[in-house]
Amino acid sequence: MMRSLYSGVSGLQNHQTRMDVIGNNISNVNTTGFKRGRVNFQDMISQQTAGAAKPTTEVGGVNPKEVGLGMTVAAIDTVFTQGNLQSTGISTDVAIQGNGFFIEKNGDKSYYTRAGAFGLDSEGTLVNPANGYRVQGWMAREVNGEQIVRTSATPEDLIIPVGSKDPAKATQNVNFACNLNKNTPEIPAEGATESDIVKGTWATEMKIYDSMGNQHLLSVNFTRVPGTPNQWTANVAVDRDSTGEVENATNTRIGLGTTDGVENTFTVTFDNMGTLQSVTDSAGNVSNPNGEIILQTSFDVTDATANADGTPYRQTMNINIGTIGSSINTITQSASQSSTKPYYQDGYALGYLDNFKIDSSGTITGVYSNGTNRTIGQIAMATFTNQGGLEKAGDNTYVESNNSGIANIGVSGVAGKGSLLAGALEMSNVDLTEQFTDMIVTQRGFQSNAKTITTADTLLETVLSLKR
């Protein structure tokens, strides 16, 4: 009789524990990145009143007789199922789709979280604004003018330098492509009118930049060579004015491999299929027989400090007109409308970091006022062999335990890590329908155990009443 009392007590205590977990789940139904808890029960040790007996030649075997002594909590699990994603439109909010955790640092102590409601502090560090923990990742380093993120290194604080400068860069490469119309009329060598010149010239322009960020206008005018099929003359000038003359005496020169001893023209030759065949500069140098044709171009930069010998400071850049025999990203000649133009140049003026964005790999890209984009860094992610073994540390964070395994740190989409979605947050994975159902079952279980205790008490009262 006493055993049933204590069995009922264990049932009351452990159903109360289950109710505590359900209450915590419901209270966190709107907590970003929260993962619900789940209580599993198991029976306690049983008291054996008679042991088992094996079969003999006379009788069969006998099963053991055991009286259970109640129940206990087997486990309180954290259920890491995916929560729904909520769009916020805030660039520093990041949600994880799939497995993985963000890494946050408080000094040397590492914390792991699914809640990606981040922000910037006064120093531009990406942090959890609720507690100041610093989000970990890798900052980009400039190598030969290219931003490289070394994700094999130890994660570090991510700093987004809002308002920082992106220095001006001189144009070093200009690429041309598309078509020159085979039926463009030739300009007569003598007696050409202004109308003849306009009809016979395909004029192209592109803005380029010097090392100080000043803007210049690169003009390349193509005209057919009179009397010679499949040949065009290109006239190159920087800062050509409306009359066709070069402003401020920029002294443009273009040649194959050099700009010494050449003028500002070159000749392009096509084969009978209309593909690029060769280029000859004004000094008679002929291009390579295959591969890309790159012409070196230089011009005087006005308002710049002269060289030590008193000569004007000159800027040099490369003009790429395409690959011999190719029709992709190359100048061609065909009997259709002219469309040749410069489609790319790599210079720009001074700019300031206006904004930044985070992509699905966690890469943070800075958007500058001069139109350039630069990689700033990349957010790190961690996974665990047994994520259920993590210990909760408050503030929506977890820490490693003896049974979670060591954090496997890497980038999104690698080694089982999920993808990232900026401008969104992961909602709690608490399902209220499920929680209320569990609450009813828990309440009935609690009431049933209480009834066990009152019934046992009634039995005891009956025993006591045997002696009046």
Side-chain angles (χ1 to χ4, degrees), residues 277-294:
Q277 186 176 53
S278 66
V279 163
T280 305
D281 64 20
S282 59
N285 301 311
V286 181
S287 61
N288 41 288
N290 49 55
E292 292 182 330
I293 297 180
I294 299 176

Side-chain angles (χ1 to χ4, degrees), residues 85-95 116 358 420-425:
L85 302 185
Q86 177 186 16
S87 177
T88 65
I90 301 173
S91 61
T92 51
D93 286 347
V94 188
I358 303 172
L420 303 180
L421 180 63
L425 292 174

Side-chain angles (χ1 to χ4, degrees), residues 48-89:
Q48 193 172 83
T49 60
K54 66 179 181 179
T56 67
T57 56
E58 290 82 15
V59 295
V62 178
N63 293 329
K65 300 178 180 67
E66 295 174 322
V67 179
L69 299 181
M71 53 84 78
T72 186
V73 174
I76 302 176
D77 301 322
T78 302
V79 181
F80 285 95
T81 55
Q82 178 73 46
N84 294 328
L85 302 185
Q86 177 186 16
S87 177
T88 65

Side-chain angles (χ1 to χ4, degrees), residues 66-361:
E66 295 174 322
V67 179
L69 299 181
M71 53 84 78
T72 186
V73 174
I76 302 176
D77 301 322
T78 302
V79 181
F80 285 95
T81 55
Q82 178 73 46
N84 294 328
L85 302 185
Q86 177 186 16
S87 177
T88 65
I90 301 173
S91 61
T92 51
D93 286 347
V94 188
I96 300 175
Q97 292 180 291
N99 293 326
F101 298 84
F102 299 112
I103 307 169
E104 297 177 350
K105 281 272 192 180
N106 179 14
D108 292 331
K109 179 70 173 177
S110 294
Y111 295 87
Y112 307 93
T113 183
R114 294 280 298 190
F118 302 136
L120 301 182
D121 65 10
S122 60
E123 297 179 351
T125 305
L126 189 65
V127 299
N128 180 344
N131 50 27
Y133 292 175
R134 297 177 176 179
V135 181
Q136 299 297 288
W138 303 275
M139 293 296 293
R141 303 287 187 269
E142 186 170 345
V143 180
N144 294 329
E146 185 178 358
Q147 298 296 111
I148 303 295
V149 178
R150 194 161 64 90
T151 58
S152 59
T154 301
E156 59 187 328
D157 297 344
L158 290 170
I159 300 174
I160 300 174
V162 176
S164 64
K165 295 178 182 177
D166 182 24
K169 178 186 175 185
T171 298
Q172 296 176 320
N173 298 284
V174 179
N175 294 350
F176 275 74
C178 294
N179 185 63
L180 293 172
N181 189 353
K182 169 73 174 176
N183 296 326
T184 300
E186 297 179 359
I187 300 175
E190 296 181 2
T193 64
E194 184 176 349
S195 176
D196 292 334
I197 295 173
V198 171
K199 291 178 180 179
T201 302
W202 177 251
T204 69
E205 293 180 341
M206 174 167 262
K207 295 175 182 177
I208 60 172
Y209 298 86
D210 61 29
S211 58
M212 294 171 286
N214 290 318
Q215 191 178 101
H216 301 271
L217 190 65
L218 171 67
S219 301
V220 181
N221 294 343
F222 293 89
T223 57
R224 292 185 60 190
V225 176
T228 305
N230 300 333
Q231 280 194 348
W232 295 69
T233 297
N235 183 283
V236 184
V238 174
D239 295 333
R240 193 195 309 267
D241 65 17
S242 58
T243 65
E245 299 298 327
V246 177
E247 294 179 350
N248 302 322
T250 53
N251 192 22
T252 308
R253 297 198 294 265
I254 186 167
L256 289 164
T258 181
T259 59
D260 294 335
V262 294
E263 300 174 353
N264 69 327
T265 62
F266 64 92
T267 302
V268 185
T269 302
F270 299 93
D271 60 21
N272 289 328
M273 302 298 292
T275 56
L276 183 62
Q277 186 176 53
S278 66
V279 163
T280 305
D281 64 20
S282 59
N285 301 311
V286 181
S287 61
N288 41 288
N290 49 55
E292 292 182 330
I293 297 180
I294 299 176
L295 296 112
Q296 194 176 96
T297 307
S298 64
F299 63 96
D300 293 343
V301 179
T302 56
D303 296 328
T305 303
N307 297 318
D309 59 1
T311 58
Y313 172 72
R314 292 182 66 80
Q315 178 172 317
T316 302
M317 60 186 174
N318 295 321
I319 292 181
N320 186 340
I321 65 170
T323 304
I324 294 174
S326 174
S327 59
I328 301 174
N329 292 335
T330 301
I331 294 177
T332 60
Q333 178 193 246
S334 180
S336 59
Q337 186 174 359
S338 291
S339 57
T340 289
K341 61 181 178 180
Y343 67 90
Y344 168 80
Q345 68 86 28
D346 57 4
Y348 45 80
L350 173 71
Y352 293 89
L353 181 62
D354 281 343
N355 199 0
F356 63 93
K357 54 189 177 182
I358 303 172
D359 65 16
S360 61
S361 68

